[in-house]
Amino acid sequence: WEGSNLLLTPVASGSHTDAIPVSGMYDGTVGVLGAIEAVRALKRSGFQPVRSIEVVMFTSEEPTRFGLGCIGSRVLSGALPVDRLFHLADKHALTFHAARAAANLTLPYHHLPMLNGRFHSFVEL
């Protein structure tokens, strides 16, 4: 949702869409849907943000399938270098890259990190 001043970095809101089996099934999904609904409610109220607002969804946050938690947010924040993803594999030797491809996630890796002030702030509902 474009803000009135496109020179300012946007605010992001969202969460992850995966969960730990048999626990917390909707916690991340509610964060993503909550961000979408918050934007809808603000629009309905006539609010016009100064900064643009972007809804963000990431995965590989809670499961430890690849032996490392919070992969999505670590990569997005730059705390986990993208090249480390190429070395991750699950207990069946399926690589992170192969699992990503099987899920039809095709955005090139170099687009993943949100570094260098990409966002002014991040709000997780």
Side-chain angles (χ1 to χ4, degrees), residues 4-74:
S4 60
N5 187 342
L6 298 180
L7 297 176
L8 297 175
T9 54
V11 171
S13 183
S15 193
H16 58 96
T17 55
D18 53 8
I20 298 171
V22 195
S23 175
M25 194 164 165
Y26 301 110
D27 68 320
T29 304
V30 168
V32 175
L33 294 176
I36 292 169
E37 183 53 32
V39 168
R40 287 178 48 179
L42 289 168
K43 284 182 175 183
R44 280 193 309 268
S45 75
F47 178 77
Q48 176 59 45
V50 174
R51 293 179 182 275
S52 296
I53 300 174
E54 296 184 15
V55 174
V56 176
M57 180 198 80
F58 44 93
T59 63
S60 297
E61 209 49 20
E62 292 186 350
T64 55
R65 175 180 177 182
F66 297 97
L68 181 64
C70 301
I71 293 172
S73 59
R74 287 182 193 206

Side-chain angles (χ1 to χ4, degrees), residues 104-123:
N104 292 317
L105 299 173
T106 59
L107 187 68
Y109 286 104
H110 68 276
H111 289 292
L112 297 178
M114 297 186 293
L115 303 175
N116 302 322
R118 169 71 177 96
F119 290 110
H120 173 265
S121 53
F122 183 89
V123 178

Side-chain angles (χ1 to χ4, degrees), residues 65-66 85-86 88-90 93-105 109:
R65 175 180 177 182
F66 297 97
L85 297 176
F86 294 105
L88 299 177
D90 67 12
L94 182 70
T95 66
F96 184 87
H97 178 71
R100 189 172 174 265
N104 292 317
L105 299 173
Y109 286 104

